[in-house]
Amino acid sequence: MNKKKRLVGVGLAVLSSVILVACSSTASNTKVYSYVYSNDPDSLDYVVANRATTSDVTGNLIDGLLENDKYGNLIPSLAEDWTVSKDGLTYTYKLRKDAKWYTSDGEEYAEVKAQDFVTGLKHAADGKSEALYLVQNSIKGLDAYIKGETKDFSTVGVKALDDYTVQYTLNKPESYWNSKTTSGILFPINADFLASQGTGFGSAKPSSILYNGPYILKSLTAKSSIEYKKNEKYWDKENVPIEDVKLSYYDGSDQESLVRNFSDGAYTLARVFPNSSNYASVKKKYADNITYSQQGGTSFFYVFNVNRQSYNHTSKKDDKQKSDTKAAILNKDFRQAIGFAFDRKAYAAQTNGEDGASMVLRNLAVPPTFVQIKDRNFGDVVKEKLVSYGQEWSDVKLEDAQDGLYNAEKAKTEFAKAKAALQAEGVEFPIHLDLPVSQTSKPLINRAQSLKQSVEKALGSENVVVDIQQMSEDDLFNITYYAPNAAAEDWDISILVSWGPDYQDPSTYTDILKTSAAETTKTYLGFEGADNAAAKQVGLDEYDRLVDEAGKETTDVATRYEKYAVAQAWLTDNAFALPVYSKGAVPSITKIKPFTRAFSLIGIKDGSSYYKYMELQSDVVTTADYEKAYKNWLKEKEKSNKKAQKELEKHVK
C-alpha cells in the first residue's frame, strides 16, 4: 500500500467508535498477555504489505537492523553496530552472529546473514511493495530497477560485503535513514526459503514465513484468534518477559464486553468508552485505575476542498451558492475564522469523553515534539515563526493535549475581514459548507454535529451554515478516499483524513501537501497537479518553495528542521488543512506495567502492538502510579535522548 492507502487506512478508523490496539494479558498471570484484535491480516509478507493488519503481527516475528528502546532511541537489533560515511551517503551495518532463522515449528533453519537484506529489498522491488515510496528514491539505483531501466539488481545500492556486513548507498544524505530501517520493507528474507515457498511466501498462515524475532506465530484463525509463543531460542530472549500472547477477535459491537472480561480475569487490558451507557458504573468501580495512553504520531485533520467540481451530495440550491462557497474557501481570513470557531475539545469529547477530550488534541500537522531543534522542541520554533504572520497568532498554544486554537472572538474578527472582502466580490451569505458523514456511524455524526454547532454559534448561522450530508458508507468512501480523481471529491469540508509518519523527519508530514503529491492533495484538498488554479490561489506554490528549500538542506540538521518549522508556520496560518486530534490518548484499565513498552512514533515496532520489553503486573495499574511513572519516564527520556544524540558522532567514519 502506498502513502495514500496508509492515509486512508488510518483515516477510516475515525468512522468507528473504537480504535483498538492489540495489547493485554490474563488476570494475575504476568507471563500471558490476552486481549482483542479487530482486523485479520490477509498477508504475512512483511516486505511487500504496508498495512497495520500485517505489521501489527509481523513486527513481533521479524527483526530488522535497528529498533527503538522505551525512550524512542534507535538501538541495535540484528545490527550490532553501524557507521555512516562523512558525506552521509553510505551506511554500513555489522550484523550479530547469534541471530538465526526458525520455522513455525521452532526449528533452526539458517543464520541471518547480510545477503538476506539484499534478498528482502529485491523481493520488495519485484513484488511492487506497498512501501516502495519509502526507499525508491533513497537507495542508489533502485528507482531505475523498479522502472525496468535495468534488470540487473546488482546495480542497486544494497550490498552484502561479507556474511555479516550489509551496506546501503543513498542518492543523497538522509539524516533520518536509520529510522527507515524499522519499517518492514528493509527487513531480511532468506533466499532459499523464499524460493521454496514461491507465490505462497507470506500468505496468511504461520508456516509461510521464517522467524528471527521474539515470537513465533502459533495460530491465526480468521475472525477468531491470533496466538504467539515466545521464541525461546531468540538472541535477545532476556528482554521478552511475556511468554504467550492470546488475542481474540472483536467486532466492536459489545463495548461492555471488554471491561467485563477484564474484571473476570480474561483480559489484561480493557479500553473504556466514556460515552457509553455503562461508563458511570465502570468509572465508579475503577475510579482510581483509568489511565490514558500516550499520544501517537498519527494526526487526524479537518480539510477544505479548494477546487470542488462535483455536487451530487449538497444542500446548495443553485450555482450562485456553489460559486460563493468556493470563493469563501479560497479566502484565507474565512478559513482562519472557521479554524478559530471550531471547538476541538467539544469535538473530541464525542468519542473520548469530557475527561479525556483535551488529552487527545493536536494543534500542528508535525507534532510539536516530533523532532528537536538543538535544545528546543519543533513546536516552540514554529510558534516563533507563526507570530510574524499576524497578531492573531501571538497567544496561541501549539503543544499537544490542549485546544490552542479555539477562540470565538478571533473567529469573529477574521470573519469580519473575510466577509467585507467577499461581499465586495459579490458573494452572498450565508456560506453553505457540505460535510459528508456515514449515516451508520453515530460517533462520526456526533463529531460533525459538534463542529457544526461551534462554528455556527461563533460566526452565526446567518453567515455560515455547516450542512451535514449523511449517506451510506460506500457512497461516503466513493466521494472521499476512493474517489477516482479530484473531480469526484464531492464535499466542501472533510473530517475523514489522517496521516502517520513513516520516518523521523518533518518531511514525512509536510511533503503530503506539496502540489506534486497528487495522491494526497486529491484526498486532502480536492485538486491534482501543480498547475491547478485554485492551488495557486491559496498560495501552495509558496508552500512548495518552503518545503523544497528545507529538503535541500541535507547536512545541517538544525537548519533543516528550522526551515521545516517555517513551512509548518505557513501551513498553520493558511488554515486549509489543520489537525484536530491524534491517535492515542485512549482511556483504559490495564495490568501492563507503565512505560515498559518500546516507544516510537514511526516503524512497525511502536509499542502498541509490540510485545518485546513489555512487562505485566498482577494488580491493576492505578492512575496515581501511572502519572508518577510518566513523570519519571519523561525525565529519563530527556536524558537518554540527549545521550543518544551525542553518541551519534562516533558512528561517522
Side-chain angles (χ1 to χ4, degrees), residues 156-229:
V156 178
V158 56
K159 309 293 181 187
L161 302 186
D162 57 45
D163 283 349
Y164 303 103
T165 310
V166 61
Q167 186 176 84
Y168 295 87
T169 303
L170 308 184
N171 288 316
K172 62 179 181 180
E174 293 185 1
S175 58
Y176 47 92
W177 168 257
N178 272 338
S179 68
K180 290 186 177 183
T181 70
T182 63
S183 297
I185 190 171
L186 292 176
F187 281 14
I189 294 177
N190 179 276
D192 290 340
F193 185 82
L194 178 64
S196 73
Q197 294 295 302
T199 57
F201 178 82
S203 60
K205 58 182 183 180
S207 61
S208 71
I209 59 171
L210 291 177
Y211 302 76
N212 66 23
Y215 292 94
I216 290 174
L217 183 62
K218 299 308 295 181
S219 66
L220 173 60
T221 306
K223 290 185 169 42
S224 178
S225 64
I226 299 174
E227 294 191 24
Y228 308 92
K229 188 76 175 178

Side-chain angles (χ1 to χ4, degrees), residues 578-650:
L578 289 175
V580 183
Y581 61 87
S582 70
K583 187 179 179 181
V586 175
S588 63
I589 45 179
T590 181
K591 293 182 180 178
I592 300 172
K593 193 175 291 185
F595 303 100
T596 56
R597 303 176 180 183
F599 172 76
S600 179
L601 298 179
I602 49 89
I604 68 171
K605 298 175 183 278
D606 65 352
S608 62
S609 55
Y610 183 50
Y611 308 110
K612 182 180 177 180
Y613 302 116
M614 187 185 294
E615 298 178 35
L616 308 180
Q617 60 183 56
S618 299
D619 299 326
V620 184
V621 176
T622 66
T623 308
D625 284 345
Y626 183 90
E627 291 300 323
K628 182 180 179 181
Y630 179 56
K631 290 178 181 177
N632 289 334
W633 178 81
L634 285 175
K635 292 178 182 177
E636 293 169 2
K637 182 177 182 297
E638 184 178 6
K639 293 179 183 176
S640 182
N641 292 165
K642 285 182 178 178
K643 181 182 178 185
Q645 283 297 312
K646 290 180 180 178
E647 291 177 349
L648 285 176
E649 296 178 2
K650 73 179 185 181

Side-chain angles (χ1 to χ4, degrees), residues 56-72:
D56 284 352
V57 175
T58 58
N60 292 288
L61 315 176
I62 314 294
D63 281 350
L65 292 166
L66 305 172
E67 64 186 31
N68 291 96
D69 65 12
K70 65 179 181 179
Y71 303 116

